[in-house]
Amino acid sequence: MRAVRRANATENFSWIGSDGWSARNLVSDGNEVEVEGTLSVQPQANPVRGFEEYFLSLTVENNKRNPWFAEFWEAHFQCHYPNSSRTPYNQNFPGTCTGQETLTKENMAFEGQLQFVSDAVMAFAHALRDMHRDVCHGRHGLCDAMKPTKGTELLRYLRKVEFEGLSGDNFRFDPQGDGPARYNIIHFKQVSQGVFRWVRVGEYWEGELRLNMSEIQFKLGHPQPPESVCSLECELGQAKKYLEGESCCWHCFNCTQYQIRHPTDETQCQLCPQGTVPDQRHTKCEPIPEEYLRADSGWAIGAMAFSATGIVVTALVAGVFLRHHDTPVVRASGRELSYILLLGIFLCYAMTFVLVLKPSDIVCGLQRFGAGFSFTVVYAALLTKTNRISRIFNAGKRTAKRPSFISPRSQLIICSGLTGFQVLINAVWMVVSPPSAVHHYPTRDDNLLVCSSSVNASYMISFSYPIVLIVICTLYAVLTRKIPEAFNESKYIGFTMYTTCVIWLAFVPIYFSTANNIAIRITSMSVTISMSATVTVACLFTPKLYIILVRPERNVRQSMMPVRYSAVRGPRHQSISGPTGVTSSVVGAGNLLGVLPPNHGMESGSHSDAGHSTNAANNHSSTSKQLTTRGTQTLNCVNNAEKHVTINNTTHTMGNGPQYVQAVDRPLQETDL
């Protein structure tokens, strides 16, 4: 008990004591807290009749036959009896016994198990009597048959004895040779705060147990008995590991963070499926709430606000262009391609509202198609513009012949073809891999509802073709960077492409590094698309809006052509004599920003032997302007639905919109502009 106290393990033990503990003060004194709650068995014994009176009447003088009685007397009365031997036990006693000391009930406590001693003596007495009667046939004293007494024969008689003992109880041996199984069940309990006592709570009488459970109290205020098992049941979220060779003893081990105990096999843990985690008790797997970019989140609201602003700006630009549809600036910018460009910009802004929708198969299809298609519309129009500029000026260096496919209709067909290729890519992609909304689990704690294309980065299939268009547009912008200022839309296209490349170079690492944060990933994509559209609006349309709205006086033919390129200014007009003595003239006319005012028509001209040209017109809008007359060549340039240019008695049709026309006997040189 002292060891239990030192280990501070009092609460961990409940004791079951044998009859050696039965109500013994040696066990409980000083150890009451540790012994509290002990159950013990005590052989049931009744007082032996007459023994108490007999023992209290004994003295050293009348009990000479017991040589140890004098030592008992000395120890009991703490004195040295006269004429007794000196022993280590009595030499320290202070006085000498007088012989007048007496044993009383007050100073004497009797052992409660005296009945068993009495019954044992009586059993042998009855066995010897029965054996003597059978062997000696009534003769007094021991007969020769009992000299010596055989133990096996005596045992046979002992097993058969049956009598009433001195305590009044019947005694006999059972078939196994044991005496009567009669026990009191005693219990050491705290009857009140700090007061402990052994109490009888039941009995075991020859195979039958009787307990008064209401009297059993293992701890004060805690009547529930402790569990008595080899191993306690495992807690929730734990599995059993049986000890080798045991069926009722086991160790419990915890299931891991993402496991529950198997519902049918208590010795195994089961891993929760993807998208689920164990509940707090690890008894079942619960689904992880879906995570996706919600329209009411801060990320989505910021992206949609940016896109909504862009849509409003795009609508205002489109309105200005429609209102000033026939002005030189609008006509010179290529109205048809400008409207297609504005449509693509609108689609880029609108994609944000598709990207923030809750993913579904239909929404994923719209995202997959729209992300690439909106870019393709923008950059197909820009590529058509830059290609047209490059071809016009490259052709002017080689020949006076008008380049092919530069009319508005041709430009629309080219742009539609470029856009149609993206539609074809999307159609094949959707047939091979239909769009779908899936659950993505980048970690065990994530359950992201996303489109399948964003999981494996197959969105790049949709962006690959627009990226090719961006690269080609950028190359054209570089190649046409030295075009004269009168054709400086190429410069703005270059600014647009350079900025777009920077934006997308920044977007790609952000997109791939935010796979676990769906909000940032979708927001970065939508903002990148919107920023690309914003750059296009700012770089391509702001200069035109500035002229139309702020400086309307420049929205005329003269402002479209700088003075140094005008036919009126002599120093910039060069004449060259060819090998046949024919003089050629070079005139630069602004195609992209416009050279001539709107509604100027032209009729075919004719040459005279004197080397001059006459043009007839009905009114100012159809009057042609003679730009150059030199030698035998005359060049007329007009701006109408169709332009007819007469060079060396040959009429050339230039198509709709302002044109760049030259008549030279050699390729166009930069020094000519």
Side-chain angles (χ1 to χ4, degrees):
M1 293 301 143
R2 288 191 296 270
V4 172
R5 188 184 308 119
R6 286 195 304 270
N8 195 27
T10 301
E11 302 292 334
N12 297 335
F13 292 95
S14 294
W15 302 97
I16 303 295
S18 66
D19 57 350
W21 277 34
S22 299
R24 291 182 179 272
N25 294 335
L26 179 64
V27 175
S28 59
D29 287 351
N31 303 314
E32 288 82 358
V33 175
E34 288 72 31
V35 180
E36 181 184 7
T38 295
L39 286 171
S40 181
V41 292
Q42 183 185 54
Q44 192 178 88
N46 293 317
V48 176
R49 294 189 296 266
F51 179 78
E52 183 176 327
E53 292 79 6
Y54 162 76
F55 194 84
L56 293 178
S57 65
L58 292 178
T59 64
V60 177
E61 298 300 325
N62 62 18
N63 194 17
K64 297 287 186 180
R65 66 186 185 90
N66 188 343
W68 298 283
F69 195 75
E71 292 185 17
F72 161 75
W73 195 273
E74 290 176 335
H76 186 71
F77 292 106
Q78 296 291 300
C79 60
H80 175 68
Y81 200 83
N83 301 323
S84 66
S85 303
R86 289 285 181 178
T87 66
Y89 303 101
N90 63 12
Q91 62 184 354
N92 295 325
F93 292 152
T96 302
C97 298
T98 62
Q100 302 300 316
E101 297 88 1
T102 58
L103 299 173
T104 64
K105 292 181 179 181
E106 288 73 18
N107 62 22
M108 187 66 193
F110 291 95
E111 176 63 52
Q113 312 299 320
L114 289 176
Q115 176 185 351
F116 298 106
V117 178
S118 171
D119 288 343
V121 173
M122 294 289 291
F124 270 92
H126 280 80
L128 288 171
R129 185 196 63 183
D130 295 342
M131 183 179 180
H132 183 271
R133 185 185 61 240
D134 294 340
V135 173
C136 296
H137 306 290
R139 293 176 56 185
H140 295 284
L142 290 178
C143 60
D144 294 337
M146 293 184 68
K147 296 179 180 178
T149 303
K150 297 180 179 180
T152 55
E153 289 294 320
L154 180 60
L155 177 60
R156 184 168 60 87
Y157 282 99
L158 275 173
R159 287 180 178 274
K160 295 188 295 184
V161 297
E162 184 174 355
F163 58 90
E164 180 181 329
L166 297 178
S167 62
D169 295 327
N170 293 326
F171 180 88
R172 68 178 183 277
F173 290 103
D174 62 16
Q176 285 75 35
D178 296 323
R182 302 166 187 166
Y183 297 92
N184 290 324
I185 310 300
I186 58 176
H187 179 47
F188 190 72
K189 64 185 292 187
Q190 189 174 183
V191 294
S192 61
Q193 189 66 40
V195 179
F196 298 86
R197 185 178 302 157
W198 288 98
V199 295
R200 184 173 180 270
V201 295
E203 66 177 2
Y204 181 84
W205 185 269
E206 297 185 4
E208 183 180 358
L209 177 65
R210 305 185 186 97
L211 279 177
N212 184 2
M213 295 300 297
S214 62
E215 287 292 330
I216 298 177
Q217 172 189 282
F218 289 89
K219 297 294 178 184
L220 182 63
H222 298 279
Q224 293 298 324
E227 295 182 352
S228 179
V229 292
C230 178
S231 299
L232 294 175
E233 283 297 324
C234 295
E235 297 180 359
L236 296 175
Q238 292 182 330
K240 295 179 179 179
K241 182 179 180 180
Y242 284 92
L243 300 180
E244 185 176 356
E246 296 288 343
S247 60
C248 59
C249 296
W250 56 81
H251 295 305
C252 297
F253 64 93
N254 294 323
C255 295
T256 62
Q257 181 179 359
Y258 300 107
Q259 290 180 331
I260 60 171
R261 189 167 71 178
H262 198 284
T264 58
D265 187 356
E266 62 183 6
T267 64
Q268 294 184 11
C269 293
Q270 176 179 308
L271 186 66
C272 286
Q274 290 278 10
T276 62
V277 292
D279 61 358
Q280 289 185 342
R281 300 187 299 172
H282 282 254
T283 57
K284 62 180 180 179
C285 297
E286 294 182 339
I288 303 173
E290 291 180 340
E291 182 180 349
Y292 57 90
L293 182 60
R294 302 180 184 274
D296 57 354
S297 68
W299 294 100
I301 291 174
M304 288 189 294
F306 184 39
S307 296
T309 304
I311 290 174
V312 172
V313 172
T314 304
L316 293 176
V317 173
V320 171
F321 266 57
L322 289 173
R323 183 177 179 84
H324 301 83
H325 181 72
D326 292 322
T327 60
V329 169
V330 176
R331 291 169 63 89
S333 63
R335 290 174 296 186
E336 295 79 4
L337 290 179
S338 294
Y339 293 141
I340 292 176
L341 192 57
L342 289 171
L343 174 62
I345 292 172
F346 168 78
L347 292 176
C348 288
Y349 285 125
M351 275 305 301
T352 296
F353 298 94
V354 178
L355 289 171
V356 300
L357 292 176
K358 181 179 180 180
S360 66
D361 293 349
I362 296 176
V363 171
C364 291
L366 291 175
Q367 290 181 4
R368 182 188 290 187
F369 178 84
F373 180 77
S374 58
F375 275 122
T376 301
V377 173
V378 172
Y379 297 113
L382 288 177
L383 178 57
T384 305
K385 277 177 173 283
T386 55
N387 173 264
R388 181 168 179 259
I389 297 170
S390 179
R391 287 192 297 117
I392 288 174
F393 278 87
N394 287 336
K397 295 179 181 181
R398 297 189 303 270
T399 179
K401 185 179 178 181
R402 172 182 178 271
S404 303
F405 308 113
I406 61 173
S407 66
R409 178 177 296 180
S410 299
Q411 301 301 296
L412 290 176
I413 293 174
I414 294 172
C415 184
S416 299
L418 293 173
T419 306
F421 189 72
Q422 173 70 17
V423 175
L424 179 62
I425 292 175
N426 281 331
V428 173
W429 185 19
M430 290 188 180
V431 171
V432 174
S433 177
S436 61
V438 298
H439 289 95
H440 179 46
Y441 315 108
T443 67
R444 283 290 313 183
D445 294 317
D446 291 327
N447 182 16
L448 308 182
L449 180 61
V450 297
C451 293
S452 57
S453 300
S454 65
V455 175
N456 52 18
S458 59
Y459 266 130
M460 298 310 297
I461 296 176
S462 180
F463 289 138
S464 59
Y465 180 62
I467 289 174
V468 173
L469 296 181
I470 291 173
V471 172
I472 297 175
C473 284
T474 305
L475 292 176
Y476 270 123
V478 173
L479 293 175
T480 59
R481 68 189 183 279
K482 294 184 179 181
I483 289 177
E485 293 181 7
F487 305 92
N488 63 358
E489 190 175 33
S490 176
K491 178 176 64 177
Y492 297 123
I493 293 175
F495 292 157
T496 301
M497 303 318 303
Y498 305 148
T499 309
T500 300
C501 290
V502 171
I503 292 173
W504 281 91
L505 287 175
F507 162 72
V508 171
I510 294 175
Y511 182 82
F512 285 103
S513 63
T514 56
N516 295 349
N517 194 321
I518 194 66
I520 296 179
R521 189 175 221 192
I522 294 179
T523 303
S524 63
M525 179 186 293
S526 62
V527 170
T528 300
I529 295 173
S530 298
M531 287 183 66
S532 299
T534 302
V535 167
T536 305
V537 171
C539 292
L540 292 184
F541 291 95
T542 301
K544 300 178 179 63
L545 293 177
Y546 176 76
I547 294 175
I548 294 173
L549 300 177
V550 181
R551 302 293 297 275
E553 70 277 3
R554 293 179 56 184
N555 194 4
V556 294
R557 181 191 62 185
Q558 287 78 4
S559 66
M560 300 299 101
M561 173 63 64
V563 176
R564 65 178 180 272
Y565 298 126
S566 174
V568 179
R569 187 177 178 88
R572 289 296 179 182
H573 179 230
Q574 297 183 3
S575 297
I576 306 171
S577 296
T580 60
V582 178
T583 302
S584 298
S585 302
V586 179
V587 177
N591 172 45
L592 299 179
L593 291 180
V595 175
L596 301 177
N599 301 322
H600 276 63
M602 169 181 261
E603 296 180 2
S604 60
S606 60
H607 295 279
S608 65
D609 294 338
H612 63 274
S613 174
T614 304
N615 295 293
N618 295 324
N619 50 48
H620 176 73
S621 63
S622 62
T623 301
S624 63
K625 182 177 179 64
Q626 182 178 4
L627 297 177
T628 304
T629 303
R630 177 74 77 176
T632 60
Q633 286 191 339
T634 302
L635 172 64
N636 291 331
C637 182
V638 298
N639 184 2
N640 199 359
E642 286 190 347
K643 269 67 71 175
H644 305 278
V645 179
T646 302
I647 304 175
N648 292 337
N649 298 324
T650 302
T651 301
H652 300 272
T653 301
M654 303 303 292
N656 187 26
Q659 302 294 328
Y660 172 85
V661 183
Q662 64 176 347
V664 295
D665 288 334
R666 59 176 175 77
L668 180 66
Q669 303 297 326
E670 288 186 7
T671 56
D672 295 328
L673 296 177

